[in-house]
Amino acid sequence: MTMPAAIKAVREAFVGLAAEEFDLPPRQAFGDSRSLVMAVHHRPTGSTAVKVISIEVERDPMITGTVVYSHSDGQFVTDAVSLTTLRTGAVVGVATDLLADEDASHLALLGAGAQAVDQVRAVHAVRPLKKLVVFNRNAKKAEALLESLKDELPDTVMDVANDADEAVRDADVVCCATASTVPLFRCDSLKERVHVNAIGSYRPVMRELPEELLATAGVVVVDQVEAALSEAGEIIRAVQSGVLRLESLVELGAALGNPPLREGRTVFKSVGVAVQDWAVARLLV
């Protein structure tokens, strides 16, 4: 499956979510969020997707599991790892297309784990990249990632940064894909006009974004407010401290119907919702 096809499918799914086409119960987490169960039902087609995964931060890939897509003709079962990286990349592509400047071409990627390649592919699909800078605590993993992307991005200048602040300094788009529990960079390291995606944190104790960024961003978009308030550490902390107003959070589906202004710094925070799995599984079927 191509990344542009996945982006289109995920975009349509979030429009459908905003139109209340889905039954989407909260994600179930067990064992300190080491086991997750995600389910969704699409009423217009009568189809359902269920994903069961286990997560171990020190394992590579962190995720193992299975996705089951049920529809009128039967069931489709697939491995959760590649589907999850693809659908997570796709939602970043949707958000970047919505919020980044049309001429954005410089991506800073923080994290070189299993999610990294599809983060790059998704941004490149909507904003062709002239420059890619990667920072990872293990520099060899960053170098290996860039080596694996050379054939796909032959015209893109690539580099490994010494630290996260250096990586983001001149970027038009930033993608955070780590398991960090502390902010990855300082807000003042960012350009005044930049779009930031964060997909790594999925537990209240995890954070990738500095509080100052959430306090001063022109718009903060989330995949789903309910999910963000229960799982996104940086969103929870910023709302509780009062620097981010709950009513200022915009869900992605609503933003697609009423695009916000591309001004200043914009943020998309995703913890992942089951409509993304449904969209990609349906497209595979």
Side-chain angles (χ1 to χ4, degrees):
M1 182 187 298
T2 65
M3 182 57 74
I7 290 172
K8 181 176 183 291
V10 169
R11 180 186 291 114
E12 291 172 352
F14 273 94
V15 171
L17 181 61
E20 300 183 347
E21 294 179 355
F22 291 92
D23 295 318
L24 182 63
R27 177 158 60 192
Q28 299 297 301
F30 306 98
D32 196 24
S33 295
R34 286 187 171 87
S35 295
L36 303 177
V37 180
M38 307 169 66
V40 63
H41 176 71
H42 186 236
R43 290 190 297 274
T45 61
S47 54
T48 300
V50 179
K51 181 167 75 173
V52 180
I53 58 175
S54 71
I55 302 175
E56 295 293 340
V57 173
E58 300 304 321
R59 184 176 60 201
D60 189 13
M62 291 197 312
I63 296 172
T64 61
T66 303
V67 178
V68 179
Y69 176 85
S70 300
H71 56 112
S72 59
D73 294 327
Q75 289 187 327
F76 168 78
V77 182
T78 189
D79 177 71
V81 176
S82 57
L83 187 142
T84 299
T85 60
L86 180 60
R87 63 81 140 155
T88 306
V91 77
V92 162
V94 173
T96 301
D97 195 30
L98 177 71
L99 298 169
D101 286 342
E102 293 287 351
D103 61 352
S105 61
H106 179 172
L107 170 64
L109 174 65
L110 307 182
Q115 297 277 6
V117 169
D118 278 336
Q119 294 290 297
V120 176
R121 288 170 176 158
V123 175
H124 183 62
V126 297
R127 297 292 187 272
L129 295 175
K130 295 179 181 177
K131 186 170 185 179
L132 169 62
V133 178
V134 178
F135 170 71
N136 192 74
R137 287 182 302 174
N138 182 339
K140 289 185 178 180
K141 286 190 69 174
E143 292 167 0
L145 172 66
L146 294 183
E147 184 66 30
S148 72
L149 287 166
K150 280 186 176 180
D151 290 342
E152 289 187 53
L153 305 174
D155 300 320
T156 302
V157 176
M158 300 183 186
D159 197 11
V160 174
N162 294 315
D163 58 57
D165 289 292
E166 175 189 314
V168 306
R169 190 156 289 126
D170 298 315
D172 305 315
V173 179
V174 176
C175 285
C176 306
T178 75
S180 180
T181 57
V182 295
L184 297 172
F185 54 86
R186 298 189 306 273
C187 188
D188 60 11
S189 295
L190 297 168
K191 294 199 307 184
E192 288 301 315
R193 174 66 191 121
V194 61
H195 172 61
V196 180
N197 300 297
I199 61 94
S201 68
Y202 62 94
R203 298 166 58 204
V205 297
M206 300 172 74
R207 286 194 296 155
E208 295 183 295
L209 305 178
E211 197 166 88
E212 184 183 351
L213 172 60
L214 296 172
T216 59
V219 62
V220 178
V221 177
V222 296
D223 40 17
Q224 186 190 43
V225 169
E226 180 182 6
L229 291 177
S230 65
E231 299 179 348
E234 49 267 278
I235 300 294
I236 294 169
R237 184 184 179 96
V239 170
Q240 289 178 343
S241 66
V243 303
L244 178 64
R245 293 183 300 111
L246 176 59
E247 57 269 24
S248 70
L249 292 174
V250 181
E251 291 193 336
L252 181 57
L256 290 168
N258 184 24
L261 295 175
R262 294 170 175 165
E263 293 182 347
R265 295 164 178 160
T266 55
V267 174
F268 174 61
K269 171 58 199 167
S270 174
V271 294
V273 291
V275 296
Q276 297 162 240
D277 302 303
W278 173 89
V280 174
R282 184 186 184 213
L283 191 57
L284 285 170
V285 170

